[in-house]
Amino acid sequence: MISGGVDLFLEMLAAERAAAPNTLAAYEADLTSCAESLAREGQTLQTATTEGLQNWMAALVGSGQARRTVARRLSCIRQFYLFLLREGMRADNPAAHLDSPKPRTPLPRFLSESEVLALLNACTEPAGASLAKKRRGILAKAALELLYASGLRISELLALPRKAVAGDQRMIMVRGKGGRERLVPLSDSAREAAQALLEVDAHLESPFLFPGRDPAKPMTRQAFDRVLHTVALRAEIDPARLSPHVLRHSFATHLLAHGADLRALQMLLGHAGIATTQIYTHVQTERLKQAVQAHHPLAADSAHTK
C-alpha cells in the first residue's frame, strides 16, 4: 500500500486532466514500483532523495525494460513530484535533475548486394507477357535503379519530372526535405531504365516520370508499394524486408563498404547534418572488426587457442 500523496495525485489527474482509467492504473503501477525500490533504501515517496530515484531508474534499465518504458515512468515521477511541490507536500523536487534515458537508435536495415541484383533481375518479364505486365516490369526496373543508384527518398522519386532523365543526363536535380535541392548522379543503367520507361509511356501526357492512374498526378506511395511487393516475391525476398527506405539504406551502406567518403555520402543523401549520416558507419566498424580478427596476430592466436 502506497501513500505519500499518491491518492491525491491520481485524483488530480482524473479531475483536472480527465485521465483514462488505464492511464491512472499505469501511473499507480509506476509509483508503486518506485515506492518499493525506495523502501529497500529506507525511503518513501514522501522522503525520496534524487539518489534514491536514480537507483530506481538504474534498476529499471538494468532489468531490460525498454527505454521508452523507462522514459514514460520517469515522466510519471516528474509529474508526481511537481504536484507535491505545488501542493506544499514537499519543499523541494528530487526528480528535477533526473535524466531521461536516451533512446537507442536502431541500425538501418539494408539488403545485400546480391539481393539488390536479384530484385533488378526480377523486374524482367518473360517474352510472352502482356504489354501491361511488360510496362510494370519496366517501371519497377526504373524505380529500383534510381532508388539504389541515387539514394533517393520515395517522395523524391515519385516527384521526378520526365525532363529530369531526358537526354544524356549524368546528374539530376532533386528537391528534398525542407525544399533543399541537391544534385545526385545518374548511373548508365539507371538512365537506360528511366528512358525505357519514357518510351513505353510516350503516349501519356504526364509531367511525371512515374505517373499515377491520373497522368496529371504522380504515382501514389501505395501503388508503388504494390510494385515492390510483387518484385520482392519474384526475387524470393520477404516483402516485409523491402521498402523504398531499405533501398536508400542499401545505397548508403554499400557505398561506404566500398570506401565512399562520409561527407560525400551526406551530400548525396541530402542530410542537413553529418550526425544523421554517421549511422551508416556501422559498416566500417564491422569491417574493421573483421580485419582485426582476420589479420591481427593476437586475434589469430586467440582463435587457435579456443
Side-chain angles (χ1 to χ4, degrees):
M1 186 71 180
I2 58 173
S3 55
V6 172
D7 290 341
L8 292 175
F9 174 63
L10 296 176
E11 288 176 9
M12 180 276 293
L13 292 177
E16 296 183 13
R17 304 184 189 177
N22 287 343
T23 300
L24 295 175
Y27 274 42
E28 184 173 9
D30 294 343
L31 291 165
T32 299
S33 170
C34 185
E36 291 173 349
S37 174
L38 291 169
R40 289 190 286 272
E41 301 185 28
Q43 300 179 27
T44 67
L45 290 172
Q46 190 74 33
T47 63
T49 62
T50 298
E51 183 181 3
L53 296 177
Q54 288 173 334
N55 291 339
W56 170 65
M57 287 189 59
L60 293 178
V61 174
S63 67
Q65 292 196 24
R67 290 173 182 255
R68 290 183 184 276
T69 301
V70 177
R72 178 185 61 77
R73 290 189 158 194
L74 174 58
S75 174
C76 167
I77 291 299
R78 282 175 170 165
Q79 293 180 62
F80 174 68
Y81 282 106
L82 282 174
F83 170 77
L84 294 188
L85 190 64
R86 188 183 70 186
E87 296 297 316
M89 299 176 70
R90 277 198 65 137
D92 63 340
N93 181 356
H97 301 294
L98 294 179
D99 293 327
S100 298
K102 294 181 180 180
R104 184 178 287 110
T105 304
L107 292 177
R109 293 180 295 124
F110 60 95
L111 302 177
S112 67
E113 294 181 37
S114 61
E115 286 175 322
V116 174
L117 290 176
L119 282 173
L120 294 173
N121 291 333
C123 296
T124 304
E125 294 289 343
S130 66
L131 291 177
K133 285 187 176 181
K134 287 183 178 179
R135 192 259 175 185
R136 282 198 295 269
I138 292 171
L139 182 146
K141 180 74 176 293
L144 290 173
E145 285 277 7
L146 285 165
L147 285 172
Y148 180 63
S150 303
L152 300 180
R153 300 179 178 92
I154 183 58
S155 57
E156 297 167 348
L157 177 82
L158 298 181
L160 279 178
R162 295 167 65 92
K163 62 183 180 181
V165 296
D168 191 27
Q169 302 277 14
R170 297 291 172 180
M171 305 286 286
I172 54 176
M173 179 67 72
V174 175
R175 184 180 296 273
K177 288 185 176 181
R180 293 188 296 270
E181 293 184 335
R182 70 183 190 279
L183 282 171
V184 297
L186 190 63
S187 68
D188 291 341
S189 58
R191 185 174 61 257
E192 291 171 5
Q195 290 178 346
L197 180 59
L198 287 179
E199 291 177 12
V200 78
D201 282 350
H203 63 288
L204 295 178
E205 294 185 3
S206 173
F208 299 103
L209 177 60
F210 298 96
R213 289 188 176 182
D214 178 356
K217 299 178 181 179
M219 173 185 278
T220 64
R221 171 66 185 270
Q222 292 73 23
F224 185 73
D225 285 344
R226 290 193 290 272
V227 171
L228 277 188
H229 187 275
T230 300
V231 175
L233 290 177
R234 293 181 61 175
E236 298 183 348
I237 294 174
D238 183 357
R241 294 182 55 224
L242 182 61
S243 72
H245 222 62
V246 166
L247 288 167
R248 178 172 159 88
H249 289 326
S250 302
F251 160 81
T253 301
H254 297 167
L255 274 183
L256 276 184
H258 287 278
D261 176 74
L262 197 62
R263 284 289 181 185
L265 184 59
Q266 176 193 353
M267 295 176 63
L268 290 172
L269 292 171
H271 288 160
I274 192 67
T276 308
T277 316
Q278 286 175 331
I279 191 172
Y280 296 107
T281 57
H282 73 283
V283 176
Q284 292 178 322
T285 301
E286 187 59 32
R287 289 176 67 201
L288 288 173
K289 287 180 181 178
Q290 292 174 359
V292 170
Q293 291 171 356
H295 304 294
H296 195 284
L298 294 182
D301 290 343
S302 175
H304 288 312
T305 57
K306 287 183 179 179

